[in-house]
Amino acid sequence: MGLARPKILFKEMKLSVYNKKCNLGTFIPLPTERIIKSASMIRQSSFSRLINTAVNKKQSNSNSDIQWCFSQVKGTLEDDATEADIISCVEFNHDGDMFATGDKGGRVVIFQRDPASKDSVPKRGEYNVYSTFQSHEPEFDYLKSLEIEEKINKIRWLKRKNPAHFLLSTNDKTIKLWRVSERDKKVEGYNLREEDGNLKDPSSISQLRIPVIKPMELMVEASPRRIFANAHTYHINSISVNSDQETYLSADDLRINLWHLEITDQSFNIVDIKPANMEELTEVITAAEFHPNECNLLVYSSSKGSIRLCDMRAAALCDRHSKLFEEPEDPTNRSFFSEIISSVSDVKISNSGRYMISRDYLTVKVWDLHMETRPIEVYPAHEYLRSKLCSLYENDCIFDKFECCWSGNDQAIMTGSYNNFFKVFDRNTKRDITLEATKEIAKPRTILKPRKVCTATKRRKDEISVDCLDFNKKILHTAWHPQENIIAVAATNNLYLFQDKF
């Protein structure tokens, strides 16, 4: 029996009762001096010591003080965009000098930061197209009579070790490792080949020549170095490069596989939640990620709203998690849609390795890896839609998978919404701001004005009614520069770049 996709699972299966009991304690932050003193007195377990190696970066200027302004927009501004042009993922590399986008047409576009904008005072976040290549083509599985889309589901960069750049891209079934390199020299004067590349007749060679290297116009080449295929029965939803830069994981609806970057014909299954009887299936894996510092730790989320942290040192098959992050549901708020909106669509561990964010349909939650019982912070993504869940179920929008991301200093969080809105949450002040990616602000240095959504009958001049939101315009994919306040927001077929006011 084939696996139904999460949407079909929720629509056609009887919703399981989610009514676990949990004793909640009161979380009281301890003074730093007391924590340090206690840590020196108590001998911690090896696992706790691993977690404690993750230290938060020092608090910098409050992100709520940032005035975001328009920098650039990539893609056509016309409304005649095709389905293949819709952006399906966006990812900065580790130093932020490049970022890549993937689309539903299987293309990958790499942008490089303009050196002049980086060296200017103040710095500007301007990027130009560096390389474009076709990563995946549409395929057909004849054994299962299924079409395999070329859509790029995820892109992940590897840390740079030489002049070339390496990145992983995946569609539903196949993962590819790409090498992107520059070439500005060519070789002339071959002995056995003509200048056009055709082979010479050896009998016509009367003397040997020494090949000469000559300069040529800069050319960027993208070539697939490895192809990792035939390891997933279901659709791949996540890939994540390990901190050792030698292995990576790939996750589908029921399994997580561990790969070595040099081995294409073998992978190790480290998580398998497939039941013996598929009729007993109650949840699927929705996202997975390695810890940024500890190569043995990984987390994965499920459609039931839980997140599991696994330690690969414990067993070859991580069927027993080390920690389970799950928030008990308030029985008074339970409804037909409870299990659907609690499904975690994205999970990201902070750059410091201490915290983790998860995105469900209505909220963004911040978890401390030391505390499993409940999140330490909860931010509403679009609470005003709670009264619209019935209509969102009818038009399938309730199954949209929104991503979330951390700022470089872990002090702010960003995620998307409908009507081309996206929200930035400041963890220091607990304030948030709603901004809009729209053509009207596509002018250099235009400051973005905060947007407000009104649920009441009467609204102010600067507010928009919840009934007027365009649910066809949605921001599912966002990325934050790892070192600066530069953000990339994918709005259908356009990619908007914003930065703090300069």
Side-chain angles (χ1 to χ4, degrees):
M1 178 178 176
L3 172 66
R5 299 296 292 155
K7 181 171 76 174
I8 301 174
L9 274 173
F10 286 126
K11 276 193 165 184
E12 296 185 358
M13 293 180 62
K14 182 179 179 181
L15 293 178
S16 62
V17 178
Y18 182 72
N19 193 20
K20 293 184 179 180
K21 294 183 180 179
C22 183
N23 296 323
L24 293 178
T26 304
F27 176 63
I28 304 176
L30 296 174
T32 305
E33 296 80 11
R34 184 176 171 185
I35 295 176
I36 296 172
K37 184 177 179 181
S38 299
S40 62
M41 295 174 63
I42 301 173
R43 183 179 181 182
Q44 297 176 321
S45 66
S46 61
F47 181 79
S48 296
R49 287 201 301 269
L50 273 174
I51 298 297
N52 281 330
T53 57
V55 180
N56 281 329
K57 296 182 180 180
K58 292 183 179 180
Q59 179 177 327
S60 61
N61 294 333
S62 175
N63 291 276
S64 64
D65 298 332
I66 297 176
Q67 280 190 302
W68 293 100
C69 68
F70 172 82
S71 179
Q72 286 177 299
V73 61
K74 305 295 183 181
T76 175
L77 290 178
E78 283 73 30
D79 295 324
D80 56 351
T82 63
E83 182 79 8
D85 295 327
I86 296 177
I87 298 172
S88 55
C89 57
V90 55
E91 183 83 4
F92 278 100
N93 71 346
H94 291 84
D95 59 13
D97 283 345
M98 287 189 171
F99 70 86
T101 64
D103 62 27
K104 288 190 174 182
R107 296 180 296 262
V108 172
V109 182
I110 299 177
F111 296 87
Q112 184 182 48
R113 190 167 187 178
D114 185 353
S117 73
K118 184 178 181 180
D119 297 335
S120 64
V121 180
K123 292 183 178 181
R124 302 192 310 275
E126 296 177 2
Y127 290 77
N128 300 316
V129 175
Y130 179 70
S131 177
T132 302
F133 57 92
Q134 188 73 31
S135 175
H136 289 72
E137 300 281 356
E139 301 175 48
F140 190 81
D141 188 334
Y142 291 95
L143 291 176
K144 298 180 180 179
S145 297
L146 291 174
E147 291 183 0
I148 302 174
E149 292 183 346
E150 64 271 34
K151 172 192 170 188
I152 307 298
N153 291 339
K154 295 290 180 182
I155 291 175
R156 291 293 181 264
W157 292 85
L158 276 68
K159 288 185 178 179
R160 194 175 185 184
K161 297 180 179 179
N162 55 50
H165 298 272
F166 290 86
L167 58 86
L168 290 167
S169 65
T170 184
N171 65 350
D172 287 339
K173 296 291 184 180
T174 305
I175 306 160
K176 296 183 180 182
L177 173 64
W178 291 89
R179 180 180 187 268
V180 182
S181 58
E182 297 180 355
R183 192 171 72 175
D184 59 356
K185 294 179 178 63
K186 62 181 179 180
V187 179
E188 292 183 355
Y190 287 104
N191 288 289
L192 299 177
R193 283 190 298 175
E194 302 285 355
E195 297 301 330
D196 59 3
N198 294 325
L199 290 176
K200 286 183 179 180
D201 181 4
S203 61
S204 65
I205 301 174
S206 58
Q207 60 180 1
L208 294 178
R209 296 185 297 174
I210 299 177
V212 179
I213 298 176
K214 292 186 177 181
M216 61 175 284
E217 186 178 350
L218 179 66
M219 182 171 63
V220 179
E221 296 178 319
S223 56
R225 301 306 299 269
R226 305 278 188 276
I227 297 178
F228 308 87
N230 305 320
H232 285 278
T233 306
Y234 311 107
H235 292 179
I236 298 172
N237 55 47
S238 301
I239 53 176
S240 177
V241 181
N242 202 341
S243 59
D244 62 14
Q245 295 294 302
E246 294 182 356
T247 57
Y248 75 94
L249 66 77
S250 59
D252 64 25
D253 294 331
L254 293 182
R255 294 187 177 97
I256 299 177
N257 292 335
L258 179 68
W259 299 83
H260 193 285
L261 286 164
E262 298 294 328
I263 303 173
T264 61
D265 59 352
Q266 187 180 32
S267 65
F268 296 94
N269 180 227
I270 53 177
V271 174
D272 189 346
I273 66 169
K274 183 180 179 181
N277 182 1
M278 288 295 287
E279 293 182 357
E280 299 174 358
L281 181 67
T282 59
E283 64 179 337
V284 294
I285 297 171
T286 56
E289 186 177 62
F290 267 121
H291 191 282
N293 305 321
E294 306 298 336
C295 62
N296 54 284
L297 299 180
L298 65 99
V299 296
Y300 69 93
S301 58
S302 85
S303 56
K304 275 196 166 183
S306 61
I307 304 169
R308 293 172 174 85
L309 186 144
C310 299
D311 190 340
M312 293 191 295
R313 298 172 304 176
L317 182 64
C318 299
D319 52 354
R320 293 185 179 180
H321 51 265
S322 299
K323 291 196 174 188
L324 175 64
F325 300 87
E326 192 172 49
E327 184 179 26
E329 183 188 14
D330 185 353
T332 60
N333 291 333
R334 181 159 183 84
S335 69
F336 173 77
F337 306 107
S338 296
E339 192 168 330
I340 304 177
I341 63 175
S342 67
S343 174
V344 177
S345 58
D346 194 21
V347 59
K348 296 280 174 61
I349 300 178
S350 64
N351 298 294
S352 68
R354 172 64 186 269
Y355 300 100
M356 174 176 62
I357 52 174
S358 63
R359 171 70 204 263
D360 57 40
Y361 191 68
L362 293 179
T363 64
V364 178
K365 297 174 182 175
V366 181
W367 302 82
D368 188 331
L369 292 185
H370 287 207
M371 191 176 83
E372 308 165 58
T373 53
R374 61 174 180 173
I376 57 173
E377 300 163 27
V378 179
Y379 300 100
H382 34 223
E383 184 63 27
Y384 45 80
L385 294 181
R386 188 175 291 275
S387 61
K388 301 289 183 181
L389 293 180
C390 186
S391 59
L392 292 167
Y393 179 82
E394 293 297 326
N395 62 20
D396 282 350
C397 284
I398 200 170
F399 301 105
D400 287 332
K401 305 301 180 186
F402 292 93
E403 296 177 4
C404 53
C405 63
W406 290 94
S407 64
N409 60 6
D410 296 340
Q411 298 303 313
I413 302 162
M414 178 172 60
T415 191
S417 183
Y418 295 104
N419 207 70
N420 279 359
F421 287 171
F422 62 97
K423 299 191 77 169
V424 179
F425 305 95
D426 188 293
R427 297 186 59 209
N428 298 321
T429 63
K430 300 298 184 287
R431 291 187 293 181
D432 63 79
I433 183 171
T434 301
L435 304 169
E436 182 180 8
T438 176
K439 303 172 186 176
E440 281 68 31
I441 52 91
K443 297 178 182 178
R445 303 191 182 186
T446 301
I447 297 177
L448 275 64
K449 296 180 180 179
R451 302 303 307 267
K452 293 182 180 180
V453 179
C454 175
T455 56
T457 306
K458 295 182 179 180
R459 62 181 179 89
R460 298 178 181 177
K461 184 178 179 180
D462 59 341
E463 294 179 336
I464 181 172
S465 172
V466 67
D467 297 319
C468 298
L469 296 177
D470 188 345
F471 293 102
N472 293 318
K473 294 181 178 180
K474 59 191 79 172
I475 292 178
L476 303 177
H477 316 287
T478 60
W480 200 308
H481 190 287
Q483 299 167 6
E484 301 176 38
N485 286 324
I486 300 172
I487 55 178
V489 174
T492 317
N493 64 312
N494 296 315
L495 185 81
Y496 290 85
L497 289 170
F498 304 104
Q499 69 172 92
D500 50 351
K501 184 180 177 182
F502 58 93

